[in-house]
Amino acid sequence: MQVSVRDNNVDQALKVLKKKMQREGVFREMKLRRCYEKPSERRAREKAEAVRRARKLERKRIEREGF
């Protein structure tokens, strides 16, 4: 990942870098790897995330179709 600094504006470059990292999921990955997660907990978390994503997509689809 690369960010260019323009006009010695390091704050702006840092803001852009953080946004890119957020989009890539780097912060989330770091948070998950802070401590050990049992495989059963990992499966349960991933299943819950999948259900959450499916419900969100369904809500968006219904909203788009106007039901």
Side-chain angles (χ1 to χ4, degrees):
M1 200 172 300
Q2 191 174 15
V3 176
S4 59
V5 179
R6 298 185 197 140
D7 300 329
N8 267 348
N9 195 349
V10 177
D11 293 330
Q12 184 66 27
L14 190 60
K15 186 175 178 181
V16 170
L17 177 66
K18 283 183 180 180
K19 189 175 280 190
K20 280 187 177 184
M21 290 173 72
Q22 180 72 32
R23 232 180 277 130
E24 292 289 319
V26 174
F27 292 124
R28 190 167 188 279
E29 184 79 18
M30 286 178 3
K31 182 181 174 187
L32 286 173
R33 290 178 184 256
R34 260 186 211 144
C35 57
Y36 179 74
E37 185 178 28
K38 289 171 42 177
S40 59
E41 291 174 347
R42 180 171 171 248
R43 280 192 300 272
R45 177 183 51 79
E46 287 176 349
K47 185 176 181 181
E49 288 173 357
V51 168
R52 204 173 303 121
R53 275 194 311 272
R55 286 185 182 155
K56 184 176 181 180
L57 285 174
E58 185 65 21
R59 276 196 312 270
K60 288 196 179 273
R61 186 185 64 79
I62 289 173
E63 182 182 308
R64 206 177 11 206
E65 293 175 0
F67 281 96

